[in-house]
Amino acid sequence: MRTTRDSARARLLGFQVVSNDQVAEGAWCMVFRSEVAALLAPGEFVEISVPCDASQVLRVPLSFSRADAAAGTVRIEYSVVGDGTRRLSLMRPGDASTLVGPCGHGWRLPGGEGRSLLVAGGIGLPPVLAAAEMLAAAGRPFDAVVGAQRGSKLVGVDVDLLRAAGSADPECCVVVCTDDGSLGRAGFTTDAMADLLAERTYETVFTCGPTVMMAGVARLAEGAGVGCQASLERMMGCGFGACSCCNVAMRDGTSRSCCMDGPVFDAGEVAW
């Protein structure tokens, strides 16, 4: 069982926007400079305070795709889904605010040397990209399946970075899927995953995206006897497990806090 993270790791830090641009339909990419860059591990997240509205007391929880400790920068991608993320998209280079981080439990490096399979849907791609770079840095091979509703909603630069992360492995396979067939293969990520499971042997699956997609990924991984790590998306009201807004139901009948025990869980333990 996972143990609750040491909340003393999370701290209040400042950040300053370096860039903040729209990169796909409904999706933005922000690069900011902060001390948290040297503290983050792949799969963890930060809670950002968005300025301009004093009535907005809750921070916005966001995962990251890359943290560069040497440059002191963090790269995040996010969808505009509410007022908080709308105001976040209006921040410009030089604007500053605060964040709390590092938060949560991140990805766990597989114990063996086998190939991993990464499955990302929509805005779930950033933490999966972080997992890919973690695997590449450890010399572990991987394949990836990336999906979106349509090509215009796919963050192409992240797909390019994903391919770059696997470029040292000549057998690395990155499959792009869209529901409407406007880019890459037509169909769902789970269809492409099933094909790869039939062709190759995997040690671990890493996944992040819509809950219905991750539930399908978890079922396929379990059926194939492959371990699966899933980065769950929940509304995290406080980030410290106090508000119980982000509880995750588990197969054993208990519940766990996504912000404190996750966001990365053993997919086989989740009650999908």
Side-chain angles (χ1 to χ4, degrees):
M1 179 176 291
R2 305 289 298 277
T3 57
T4 300
R5 70 176 171 86
D6 180 1
S7 59
R9 288 189 61 230
R11 61 195 71 179
L12 179 65
L13 298 167
F15 75 89
Q16 185 174 53
V17 178
V18 175
S19 62
N20 191 23
D21 303 301
Q22 188 169 2
V23 290
E25 181 184 337
W28 271 254
C29 173
M30 176 186 285
V31 176
F32 61 79
R33 186 168 286 108
S34 172
E35 293 176 47
V36 80
L39 306 173
L40 286 165
E44 295 178 341
F45 67 98
V46 293
E47 293 259 357
I48 289 181
S49 177
V50 184
C52 304
D53 186 351
S55 68
Q56 183 75 34
V57 296
L58 297 180
R59 295 174 181 269
V60 178
L62 292 168
S63 57
F64 70 96
S65 58
R66 176 175 287 175
D68 188 329
T73 57
V74 178
R75 184 174 184 270
I76 61 173
E77 289 88 359
Y78 59 96
S79 293
V80 174
V81 294
D83 187 58
T85 46
R86 180 191 63 79
R87 288 185 288 107
L88 186 65
S89 72
L90 298 177
M91 294 186 74
R92 295 293 176 255
D95 289 349
S97 187
T98 63
L99 59 80
V100 173
C103 298
H105 286 288
W107 303 113
R108 302 178 301 282
L109 196 65
E113 301 293 326
R115 180 173 294 273
S116 293
L117 178 58
L118 315 180
V119 185
I123 207 63
L125 180 52
V128 169
L129 173 57
E133 296 191 339
M134 174 187 75
L135 292 168
R140 307 292 181 84
F142 67 84
D143 296 323
V145 178
V146 179
Q149 290 178 327
R150 50 189 174 273
S152 61
K153 300 195 74 169
L154 192 66
V155 181
V157 64
D158 278 357
V159 178
D160 292 340
L161 290 171
L162 189 60
R163 290 192 173 107
S167 61
D169 174 16
E171 296 186 0
C172 178
C173 174
V174 177
V175 181
V176 173
C177 305
T178 49
D179 294 356
D180 65 358
S182 57
L183 184 66
R185 167 178 170 160
F188 300 137
T189 53
T190 46
D191 297 329
M193 176 183 175
D195 290 345
L196 286 172
L197 285 172
E199 297 169 4
R200 294 186 170 188
T201 300
Y202 295 100
E203 178 183 0
T204 306
V205 173
F206 296 78
T207 187
C208 184
T211 299
V212 65
M213 183 207 80
M214 290 194 290
V217 169
R219 285 193 296 269
L220 286 171
E222 185 173 35
V226 180
C228 181
Q229 299 179 40
S231 179
L232 304 191
E233 297 179 343
R234 293 288 190 278
M235 178 55 68
M236 301 179 190
C238 67
F240 289 96
C243 68
S244 299
C245 290
C246 64
N247 283 351
V248 177
M250 311 302 290
R251 278 186 172 180
D252 63 5
T254 64
S255 64
R256 299 188 202 171
S257 167
C258 192
C259 66
M260 295 292 285
D261 298 308
V264 176
F265 290 88
D266 181 334
E269 297 179 358
V270 176
W272 297 101

